[in-house]
Amino acid sequence: MKKIYITLLLLLIAFTESFAGQDAQAKAVLDKTAAAYKSTGGICLTFNGSQEGTLWLRGECFYLKCAGIKSWFDGKTQWSYVEKNDEVTVTNPTGEEIRSINPYSWITSYQTAFDYRYNGTRTFNGKQGHEIILTPKEKGDIQSITLGVSDNYQPLHITIRQSNGQKQVFNVTSYKTYKNVSMESFRFNPKKYPTAEVIDMR
């Protein structure tokens, strides 16, 4: 289920406008977070907690480095490089396949999948922020998601509580915006991995 949790991290950071909602204050925070993201030409952030990694985002494109795997997606093609095996798998993912990592593919389903509420302000990693609790409308693996957003509407923290009592925690340790992230950042460069075995599944 780890891929799903990474997807949720991507989604909650970049596409919070997709939560159509019951709680006006929560919606206001989510809308402003989405607007702050849209005003950039791209973002780069790092996170730690249950998993540690780096994420670049620009529109529907992303680069993710986490748990010994690097993934690039340019809107059509996905490259997944496994460091310990020195191999990269190339695919043109179907909607179902990309759903485990591409934030755009979850927008429609998340518009109606969650209830949410504003839970006041609290401190996340030494920073004051707004806390929003999201609860799935249908029972499943996820019991709830807690999202922390700063006063300038950048993500600070995400906790995903599972129905089996376990939880995944993500702390955003840095968040940088850029006017325009190059598209080359979202494509695998074979010159940088000359010994990698390429497995083309397209």
Side-chain angles (χ1 to χ4, degrees), residues 97-141:
E97 290 169 339
I98 199 66
R99 186 168 294 174
S100 66
I101 196 167
N102 180 7
Y104 260 79
S105 65
W106 288 85
I107 292 177
T108 302
S109 62
Y110 274 91
Q111 288 177 345
T112 56
F114 282 88
D115 293 321
Y116 57 78
R117 62 184 173 85
Y118 186 80
N119 201 42
T121 59
R122 55 162 290 193
T123 301
F124 301 92
N125 312 317
K127 297 180 180 180
Q128 188 77 7
H130 307 278
E131 183 174 76
I132 298 172
I133 309 297
L134 301 106
T135 306
K137 291 185 177 181
E138 296 183 6
K139 290 185 178 180
D141 294 329

Side-chain angles (χ1 to χ4, degrees), residues 6-15 55 57 62 101-103:
I6 290 295
T7 301
L8 288 167
L9 176 66
L10 298 173
L11 173 74
L12 292 169
I13 288 168
F15 304 108
L55 171 67
L57 278 173
F62 64 83
I101 196 167
N102 180 7

Side-chain angles (χ1 to χ4, degrees), residues 1-13 47 50-51 55 64 66 99-101 106 110 140-145 158-170:
M1 300 302 294
K2 288 184 178 180
K3 287 185 177 180
I4 292 177
Y5 301 145
I6 290 295
T7 301
L8 288 167
L9 176 66
L10 298 173
L11 173 74
L12 292 169
I13 288 168
F47 58 91
S50 299
Q51 299 179 54
L55 171 67
L64 175 67
C66 183
R99 186 168 294 174
S100 66
I101 196 167
W106 288 85
Y110 274 91
D141 294 329
I142 297 173
Q143 184 180 57
S144 68
I145 300 170
I158 298 170
T159 295
I160 302 167
R161 289 181 171 81
Q162 300 169 249
S163 299
N164 62 8
Q166 297 181 350
K167 68 179 180 180
Q168 296 281 319
V169 176
F170 299 93

Side-chain angles (χ1 to χ4, degrees), residues 22-198:
Q22 307 80 2
D23 186 316
Q25 193 167 5
K27 184 178 187 302
V29 173
L30 295 171
D31 286 348
K32 289 178 181 178
T33 303
Y37 168 74
K38 284 184 173 182
S39 68
T40 73
I43 62 172
C44 177
L45 61 87
T46 59
F47 58 91
N48 64 21
S50 299
Q51 299 179 54
E52 183 174 345
T54 300
L55 171 67
W56 287 82
L57 278 173
R58 175 185 170 185
E60 65 178 3
C61 304
F62 64 83
Y63 163 73
L64 175 67
K65 180 180 179 181
C66 183
I69 298 175
K70 298 178 181 179
S71 293
W72 298 260
F73 183 70
D74 66 0
K76 178 182 178 182
T77 302
Q78 181 179 348
W79 298 263
S80 295
Y81 175 72
V82 181
E83 294 181 28
K84 68 177 181 180
N85 298 336
D86 194 26
E87 64 181 29
V88 58
T89 303
V90 188
T91 59
N92 288 336
T94 64
E96 184 67 24
E97 290 169 339
I98 199 66
R99 186 168 294 174
S100 66
I101 196 167
N102 180 7
Y104 260 79
S105 65
W106 288 85
I107 292 177
T108 302
S109 62
Y110 274 91
Q111 288 177 345
T112 56
F114 282 88
D115 293 321
Y116 57 78
R117 62 184 173 85
Y118 186 80
N119 201 42
T121 59
R122 55 162 290 193
T123 301
F124 301 92
N125 312 317
K127 297 180 180 180
Q128 188 77 7
H130 307 278
E131 183 174 76
I132 298 172
I133 309 297
L134 301 106
T135 306
K137 291 185 177 181
E138 296 183 6
K139 290 185 178 180
D141 294 329
I142 297 173
Q143 184 180 57
S144 68
I145 300 170
T146 301
L147 173 64
V149 179
S150 71
D151 288 337
N152 59 344
Y153 304 104
Q154 295 179 357
L156 296 173
H157 175 89
I158 298 170
T159 295
I160 302 167
R161 289 181 171 81
Q162 300 169 249
S163 299
N164 62 8
Q166 297 181 350
K167 68 179 180 180
Q168 296 281 319
V169 176
F170 299 93
N171 299 306
V172 178
T173 54
S174 70
Y175 184 102
K176 298 179 181 179
T177 62
Y178 296 86
K179 290 185 178 181
N180 191 18
V181 178
S182 169
M183 280 299 297
E184 296 308 309
S185 300
F186 308 109
R187 298 187 180 110
F188 175 76
N189 185 348
K191 293 181 180 180
K192 294 183 178 180
Y193 305 88
T195 63
E197 178 185 359
V198 178

